[in-house]
Amino acid sequence: MAGKITRKLLIDPQERIEILNLFPAIRKYRNTEEMKNDEGMKYLEIEASTFKLIAEWEHFAVLSLLKTADFKNSYQWIADRLGISKFRAQEVVERLLSLQFLEQDQDGTLRRVKSSIRSSDETVSLSVKKSHEENFDLARESLQRDSLTERDFTSITMSVDPEKMKVAKEMIRKFQDELSETMESGNKKEVYRLSIQLFPLTKLSSPKSIKECLQ
């Protein structure tokens, strides 16, 4: 039960381990063969740093910021551009360096090592869920802060054939790639995030199992 609760709270792996270790029964369970085959405990295999890379929006924002024409190798500059603290900017850059998504020359110049990052479409991961939650928060802030000329929020309600969800996902991925190619050409000055949500408003006729709902 403690494992299910902490998993639903989307706590990062390191913090979750520390909480679970407070329970003697769990410490004993973790050393058994049963635990190794427990799908609900697989998150323990996720490194905390990798979890944070996917779950926390600042990491991808810094990677994209490096592509802008006026990028500066300064923690304060990064902090000012993203609206975060200098300490947070340094923390994010150091994590990207440690995970080898960035490399740094002797003069301090930062450089992207990998051109793009994408999780698998069907990944059932705490970090991905946490990232989606942050997307909602960022979109809500933009809705209140940015003018219509700086953002575009649209939605459409439709009756659908659920069997076509796979086709819909493929079309969305294709659109994302095409839009990214278009927007990243020319003089890159700002960092944007595109979030597309496609989800049911009606109650699904085939309810999920308890195990699926906990994922």
Side-chain angles (χ1 to χ4, degrees):
M1 182 59 69
K4 290 179 180 179
I5 291 174
T6 54
R7 192 165 184 267
K8 290 291 287 183
L9 291 175
L10 303 182
I11 298 173
D12 85 58
Q14 186 58 46
E15 294 175 346
R16 188 167 185 252
I17 290 172
E18 293 172 0
I19 292 174
L20 295 182
N21 279 339
L22 297 175
F23 298 86
I26 292 180
R27 288 201 301 271
K28 182 179 179 180
Y29 174 62
R30 287 182 60 200
N31 296 323
T32 66
E33 191 65 29
E34 181 184 358
M35 178 268 176
K36 296 177 182 178
N37 298 320
D38 185 345
E39 291 298 324
M41 300 293 283
K42 289 296 185 182
Y43 87 99
L44 291 172
E45 299 176 0
I46 304 174
E47 294 183 1
S49 57
T50 303
F51 175 94
K52 291 180 182 297
L53 169 70
I54 299 174
E56 299 172 356
W57 67 271
E58 296 96 333
H59 297 87
F60 290 99
V62 168
L63 289 174
S64 294
L65 199 58
L66 261 75
K67 293 183 177 181
T68 57
D70 61 341
F71 179 80
K72 297 180 181 179
N73 288 285
S74 163
Y75 293 134
Q76 188 61 60
W77 185 88
I78 294 173
D80 292 341
R81 293 292 278 129
L82 297 181
I84 59 179
S85 69
K86 180 180 178 181
F87 174 81
R88 177 59 174 161
Q90 181 175 351
E91 181 182 42
V92 169
V93 170
E94 289 178 350
R95 181 171 295 118
L96 290 170
L97 287 168
S98 68
L99 292 173
Q100 299 182 343
F101 286 100
L102 290 179
E103 61 182 12
Q104 193 169 32
D105 296 339
Q106 292 183 348
D107 62 358
T109 302
L110 294 170
R111 184 182 301 105
R112 288 178 55 136
V113 178
K114 301 180 181 180
S115 59
S116 62
I117 306 167
R118 175 175 288 175
S119 62
S120 62
D121 290 345
E122 302 303 328
T123 298
V124 180
S125 164
L126 296 180
S127 56
V128 173
K129 288 182 179 180
K130 185 68 174 179
S131 176
H132 290 323
E133 282 195 349
E134 286 201 346
N135 276 346
F136 298 146
D137 293 336
L138 292 169
R140 187 180 299 109
E141 291 176 7
S142 175
L143 183 63
Q144 302 299 327
R145 180 190 64 226
D146 302 322
S147 69
L148 289 173
T149 60
E150 297 172 323
R151 60 170 175 80
D152 182 62
F153 282 38
T154 59
S155 63
I156 181 174
T157 303
M158 51 192 165
S159 56
V160 305
D161 177 0
E163 296 299 322
K164 295 183 178 180
M165 277 300 295
K166 182 178 180 181
V167 175
K169 290 184 178 183
E170 291 174 351
M171 292 177 67
I172 291 172
R173 301 301 183 275
K174 182 180 179 181
F175 165 71
Q176 289 176 326
D177 290 340
E178 291 176 349
L179 182 65
S180 176
E181 183 177 352
T182 298
M183 296 296 289
E184 291 198 329
S185 61
N187 186 17
K188 296 183 284 288
K189 296 180 179 180
E190 308 293 344
V191 174
Y192 271 60
R193 170 168 286 194
L194 171 68
S195 298
I196 300 175
Q197 291 89 34
L198 176 63
F199 55 90
L201 295 177
T202 51
K203 295 187 180 300
L204 299 179
S205 55
S206 301
K208 292 182 178 181
S209 65
I210 293 177
K211 181 178 179 181
E212 289 175 321
C213 290
L214 288 174
Q215 292 179 336

